Amino acid sequence: QVPFTVLQGEGVEYLGHANDAVIAISNYRLHIKFKDSVINVPLRMMESVECRDMFQLHIVCKDSKVIRYLCHFSTFKQCQEWLKRLTRAIARPAKPEDLFAFAYHAWCLGVCVDEEDQHAHLCRPGDHVRYRFEMELVRMGFDLQNIWRVSDINNNYKLCSSYPQKLLVPVWITDKELENVASFRSWKRIPVVVYRHVRNGAVIARCSQPEISWWGWRNADDEYLVTSIAKACALNPGVKVPGGVPHNGSSDGSEACDADFDSSLTACSGVENAGTPQKLLILDARSYTAAVANRAKGGGCECEEYYPNCEVVFMGMANIHSIRNSFQYLRAVCSQVPDPSNWLSALESTKWLQHLSVMLKAAVLVSSAVDREGRPVLVHCSDGWDRTPQIVALAKILLDPYYRTMEGFQVLVESDWLDFGHKFGDRCGHQEKVEDQNEQCPVFLQWLDAVHQLLKQFPCLFEFNEAFLVKLVQHTYSCLYGTFLGNSPCEREMHNIYKRTCSVWSLLRAGNKNFHNLLYMPGSEQVLHPVCHVRALHLWTAVYLPASSPHPLGQDEMDIYLPPGSQSQEFSGRCLDRLPKTRSMDDLLSACDSSSPLTRTSSDPNLNNHCQEVRGGLE
């Protein structure tokens, strides 16, 4: 008999016993039921599995968790059989439809007669996500009549497959010029505007590196487009306060900001009159050495001599290979048993917090340039789909309180990560027919960690809580939802993923009070100035050390991976107010019907022999 409640669309493929547990492998997860605990791990969450001490399995997960000594098999042969089964189960899919998100969505449509209504209510995100581009243009006050225009040059992704179909550029830039610029930028990822500061009109744009190569190529249209972005900001300056000077929106928390990196930004402090373009900041996420080295592969960086009224600053952020190595070291340190005596030095040697510090500094540099000095900023790295969204999205959170709401955060992830082609399939390791492990890297997880650092420093300025971020980490890898499948918007549209899978935002919606921050103070327009020093950063224990930290939703340790549909149907329209309750053992025994069968593992395994956990309690 299957030892767990089968998920919607879930089919059990293997069922067996070890000396101390019942084991089942379905098309979604590995389930192991011990006498007093349960382990549920989505298959796509697993990075590797191996045999240890001849009779035990050892699982390494993509979100840093390591499950040691999974269960004890009676023979070496039996252990090897289950090792082979698990290895086959976690192998990369042959086609997207092999991922569980498609089967889960098919079940969701089948439970209701009116499939369209069911899909709209349970699976799709809200209108704020579906119509995000148009709504954001209005919210940020772009003058689409005289200064800016929405180009359709990328309709059907004919210009760039990793860019959205609608691109925002200055009104006088023609599509012909955009085509010429695309031939000069890596992967045809041209400079386009993604954010506008309402009060002073300064914008944030993003792109990939220019293809200068050793020959020192130039492109007149590219130089014209970059300088035109600064000119457009001057012509569309934003809302001014009395006195004629644009309000900079700064808060009194500026003294907490790092002061040990300047990049000569003070050279053009103050906001000039609307007719004079501010000096545009080109922020290259790489080090100068790495940028120059890219010239050998046809890339490079902008030369200030060719881009008038521009300043180029290099941030020295590590590439995906260094971040992957750092994450692997962090996972190894966090999974050491027993706890290492040199914990602090071991943590320092991973350089994980150092990488977070550099990312935060880059975002603060962007937000300070935009907010305090009214300067437009152009951000890029090499390809523009890893470090670039990290900086841009983080800077937008610092600048705009809308992105600190649950609704705004969803728009942010969709716009800056999904629409602009972050390679979730490759980076998360669930892309079909790809065996190159060097493409795998927790770039999005690292960014969520940086958001977690901001939440720690400003606990009253975010509508969502830490549980929201933890759940997003889990479902980035679980493949229960289709939100993070594929490498680009073109690919997701080609496989019709939007209509054939459920959206993770249907779970992490604003109405779900499990993810609401009780300390949140709405209405604050404060621009965040975080402390970026390593000593001010914290290890995200809820993700990297879950056994030593309180569980966000009152879940017991072994059920942290259990998807929503297996228990209380978070997809349903029922009450979502499942806040943790605390009762004494005597109260629980008197409140529970001992004749009822158990439905899940309670937080205290000793109670399993006596009662069923109260519905709506610790879950």
Side-chain angles (χ1 to χ4, degrees), residues 401-415:
Y402 173 67
Y403 298 119
R404 298 172 220 150
T405 66
M406 297 178 76
E407 178 181 298
F409 192 82
Q410 295 170 13
V411 171
L412 182 72
V413 172
E414 291 277 349
S415 300

Side-chain angles (χ1 to χ4, degrees), residues 23-26 28-32 39-50 57-67 70 82-83 85-92 331 428-430 437 440 474 477-479 561:
I23 311 175
I25 300 177
S26 72
Y28 171 65
R29 57 175 159 165
L30 167 68
H31 176 97
I32 302 180
I39 292 178
N40 283 286
V41 188
L43 298 176
R44 296 301 159 197
M45 187 80 75
M46 302 182 199
E47 185 171 303
S48 64
V49 56
E50 59 186 59
L57 294 180
H58 181 93
I59 292 178
V60 175
C61 297
K62 297 173 183 176
D63 66 344
S64 87
K65 295 179 182 65
V66 175
I67 304 174
L70 196 54
W82 280 98
L83 174 64
R85 290 170 180 171
L86 264 179
T87 302
R88 286 195 298 267
I90 68 175
R92 299 235 184 185
R331 183 168 55 192
C428 297
H430 50 240
Q437 298 297 325
Q440 200 165 313
Q474 294 172 4
Y477 295 101
S478 72
C479 292
Y561 288 125

Side-chain angles (χ1 to χ4, degrees), residues 159-171:
L159 179 71
C160 176
S161 62
S162 60
Y163 258 26
Q165 297 191 64
K166 297 182 182 297
L167 306 176
L168 186 64
V169 295
V171 70

Side-chain angles (χ1 to χ4, degrees), residues 102 132 210-211 230 251 449 491 509 545 552:
F102 292 89
R132 57 188 174 274
E211 295 186 330
S251 68
D449 196 339
E491 190 174 310
R509 57 189 177 274
L545 292 171

